[in-house]
Amino acid sequence: MRFFNTLGRTLQEFTPIQPGKVRMYTCGPTVYNYAHIGNFRAYLFEDLLRRTLEYFGNQVTQVMNLTDVDDKTIRDSKAAGLKLQDFTRKYKDAFFEDLKTLRIEPAEHYPEATTHIPEMQRMIDILFKKGIAYQSEDGSVYFSIDKFPEYGKLARIDREQQRAGVRINSDEYEKDSVADFALWKAWSETDGDVKWPSPWGDGRPGWHLECSAMSMKYLGKTFDIHTGGVDNMFPHHEDEIAQSEAANGCKFVNYWLHCEHLTVDNKKMSKSLGNFYTLRDLLAKGYTGAEVRWALIGTHYRSKLNFSFGLLDQARNTLRKFSDFFGRLRELPAGSAGKEAAAELAAKADQAFSEGIGNDLGIAEALAAVFTLERNVNSALSKQEFQREAGEIILEQFRKFNRVLGALDVDAAEAAEEIPEEILKLAEARTAARKARDFAKADELRNQMKAAGWIIEDKPGGFSIKKA
């Protein structure tokens, strides 16, 4: 496997610290609202990465944090008149429901910031002892970027821009706001009852510190992969590197992977433009988790993804075609005809898929292998060249593809649908017309069914009906 390492901006061969085992940290949600589709673009990229690592035989230990204390969670919990933990619980539960809907594999650890305060305080103490952290006149504790000469190496910030002694207390800020950042924020009235005791006075941790302390606890001082969206690169990931490497005296992460932004109809997603969508919004419009997943993984993670409802409709049509395809393979008559040809087609597709997905998650090349196999097999099916054993070889290859893609229901029977009585009567009348060789009448009845939104397909020994 090869990945584009943001640290260095080069495509590099992936070599885990411990052969066959990968330790990975993925930035999770700030639980002050429902996650939106831009967030899930990142979480699905990370899921694709995890599945690909497993596809190539690795055991993955993944940590995804839950930021349940920061400027936004405190602000909105106060506005809602709720205690912080009661406010964030609703969005934590919703997040896990959404992960399940999108078929995202669970991480091994989901540490919450509020339950890891002692680990964060220990890291601050180390930085104090090394002379890198200092306390300001208002009681907050800051990281001195002047004491870490490599600051800016991930986001490629010019050292000339760095202004030692200038401080910034907010959790999130722009790239041109290079300054000493808060490790511990002294309590103020705006924090309400959100505070913890510390050697530096009551307060709370800075957002950037959370990930450094929790990743070290679960993955060690140095681990393999850290991921997130490009918007996390600065200041969040840059600050993580600085405080982790300054405290531990060793490299923090070997490979950094960042996914690009999601736009909606070629515009930045925002509530003011009316193009802001959560997963729940899309489900309410009748789309499924599998359809949303397919739409969001189909663009390479380092390219901007332009979301539209047309993209979701394409995903729906594609997955329905695959469902029909798998159904035809499951219904093949017993026998071994085409077995060798099927094995040859599957092996060729498997190699192309592996080469594509193993080259920096090359999803376009991987999907090309999937569609090529489907097309070649459909050609063989139309010529009645395959029997059941050949079909099972192809189904097994698609099961293997789906270990990475996660959206194909290879073994799911067609969903049972409530077929109206009048549609069943039309279908039976059509069957009778065909037996009487009144094909004009049969075509007329088929068209009546289609106009009512139903499609009839003839099969050996009968027919099947499904919604158009």
Side-chain angles (χ1 to χ4, degrees):
M1 285 179 291
R2 297 193 301 168
F3 298 127
F4 185 85
N5 191 348
T6 310
L7 186 63
R9 308 294 196 277
T10 57
L11 196 62
Q12 298 176 5
E13 197 75 25
F14 176 67
T15 305
I17 297 167
Q18 187 176 355
K21 295 186 177 181
V22 178
R23 289 173 289 155
M24 178 169 74
Y25 190 90
T26 53
C27 280
T30 300
V31 284
Y32 73 106
N33 208 329
Y34 297 112
H36 56 69
I37 56 173
N39 301 137
F40 282 116
R41 196 270 162 110
Y43 303 145
L44 281 164
F45 139 65
E46 291 157 351
D47 185 58
L48 195 70
L49 171 60
R50 176 193 172 97
R51 287 168 174 266
T52 298
L53 291 165
E54 292 173 334
Y55 180 85
F56 283 95
N58 296 284
Q59 178 187 336
V60 178
T61 300
Q62 180 184 0
V63 177
M64 177 179 274
N65 68 297
L66 302 176
T67 297
D68 57 354
V69 57
D70 79 324
D71 295 347
K72 291 182 284 193
T73 53
I74 293 172
R75 177 198 66 199
D76 289 6
S77 63
K78 287 181 66 181
L82 294 171
K83 286 188 173 294
L84 183 67
Q85 61 268 32
D86 295 332
F87 174 76
T88 58
R89 175 49 53 195
K90 171 184 176 180
Y91 298 114
K92 289 174 186 175
D93 292 343
F95 176 67
F96 288 114
E97 290 173 10
D98 289 350
L99 291 184
K100 189 174 181 180
T101 298
L102 290 171
R103 308 181 181 190
I104 292 175
E105 288 190 348
E108 282 62 39
H109 305 282
Y110 290 100
E112 300 170 328
T114 54
T115 59
H116 291 75
I117 303 299
E119 288 85 351
M120 299 176 207
Q121 292 181 349
R122 282 196 290 272
M123 181 168 273
I124 295 173
D125 187 55
I126 292 170
L127 292 169
F128 252 115
K129 289 175 179 175
K130 290 191 172 186
I132 298 168
Y134 65 91
Q135 192 164 15
S136 67
E137 56 279 0
D138 70 350
S140 294
V141 177
Y142 290 88
F143 182 97
S144 173
I145 62 172
D146 194 42
K147 300 290 180 66
F148 187 73
E150 293 187 347
Y151 190 86
K153 63 183 177 181
L154 179 68
R156 294 197 166 180
I157 295 168
D158 189 341
R159 286 289 296 176
E160 294 298 318
Q161 294 182 38
Q162 297 179 28
R163 301 184 290 278
V166 177
R167 294 192 291 266
I168 192 161
N169 194 263
S170 59
D171 286 331
E172 300 175 56
Y173 44 92
E174 298 300 320
K175 189 171 179 177
D176 58 2
S177 301
V178 178
D180 293 354
F181 57 90
L183 299 167
W184 186 261
K185 296 187 174 189
W187 180 84
S188 69
E189 290 185 1
T190 58
D191 290 336
D193 62 356
V194 179
K195 60 182 177 180
W196 287 266
S198 84
W200 318 285
D202 289 352
R204 61 182 174 93
W207 172 42
H208 315 298
L209 184 68
E210 298 173 8
C211 289
S212 286
M214 293 190 292
S215 64
M216 184 172 71
K217 177 174 181 176
Y218 294 98
L219 300 175
K221 294 179 179 179
T222 304
F223 54 93
D224 298 296
I225 299 174
H226 197 312
T227 68
V230 290
D231 52 318
N232 286 143
M233 194 186 308
F234 187 91
H236 187 49
H237 292 164
E238 194 69 60
D239 291 355
E240 276 189 72
I241 291 174
Q243 61 205 7
S244 298
E245 295 189 357
N248 297 325
C250 58
K251 190 174 185 179
F252 179 39
V253 175
N254 285 340
Y255 300 86
W256 288 87
L257 277 69
H258 291 91
C259 73
E260 261 289 357
H261 293 291
L262 175 145
T263 58
V264 177
D265 295 324
N266 291 309
K267 297 177 182 177
K268 183 177 180 181
M269 186 171 65
S270 71
K271 291 180 179 178
S272 63
L273 291 176
N275 66 353
F276 183 95
Y277 301 109
T278 66
L279 175 61
R280 284 141 199 270
D281 293 331
L282 303 185
L283 297 178
K285 293 179 181 293
Y287 296 101
T288 67
E291 290 163 355
V292 176
R293 179 186 178 92
W294 188 267
L296 295 185
I297 67 172
T299 299
H300 191 265
Y301 77 95
R302 286 194 291 113
S303 297
K304 288 185 179 179
L305 188 157
N306 183 44
F307 173 86
S308 67
F309 286 101
L311 189 66
L312 279 180
D313 291 335
Q314 289 175 26
R316 170 169 290 177
N317 291 333
T318 298
L319 293 181
R320 282 182 175 176
K321 287 178 181 177
F322 274 121
S323 181
D324 292 342
F325 173 65
F326 300 142
R328 288 196 296 276
L329 290 171
R330 288 194 297 268
E331 293 168 4
L332 285 172
S336 60
K339 186 176 178 181
E340 290 183 6
E344 186 177 335
L345 287 174
K348 186 176 180 180
D350 185 62
Q351 181 178 351
F353 182 89
S354 298
E355 289 175 355
I357 205 69
N359 186 24
D360 197 33
L361 306 184
I363 191 68
E365 294 79 7
L367 289 179
V370 173
F371 286 118
T372 297
L373 180 59
E374 180 211 18
R375 186 168 59 250
N376 289 337
V377 172
N378 268 325
S379 176
L381 292 177
S382 67
K383 300 172 187 175
Q384 298 184 333
E385 294 174 348
F386 283 1
Q387 291 180 326
R388 188 171 301 161
E389 290 183 28
E392 183 52 44
I393 289 171
I394 301 302
L395 286 170
E396 183 57 33
Q397 183 57 51
F398 275 90
R399 291 184 192 104
K400 190 174 181 184
F401 290 152
N402 202 46
R403 284 168 54 191
V404 174
L405 302 175
L408 303 176
D409 293 322
V410 180
D411 297 301
E414 288 185 36
E417 294 179 285
E418 189 87 28
I419 302 173
E421 184 67 27
E422 60 271 22
I423 298 298
L424 284 172
K425 287 181 179 179
L426 287 173
E428 290 164 359
R430 178 179 174 277
T431 299
R434 282 171 59 83
K435 284 182 179 178
R437 303 189 68 79
D438 187 350
F439 297 114
K441 181 67 174 177
D443 288 345
E444 180 187 336
L445 291 165
R446 177 196 286 272
N447 290 336
Q448 287 182 37
M449 292 177 67
K450 187 174 181 180
W454 295 86
I455 293 174
I456 185 169
E457 292 184 350
D458 297 308
K459 295 186 176 183
F463 57 80
S464 68
I465 303 172
K466 63 182 180 180
K467 280 187 176 178

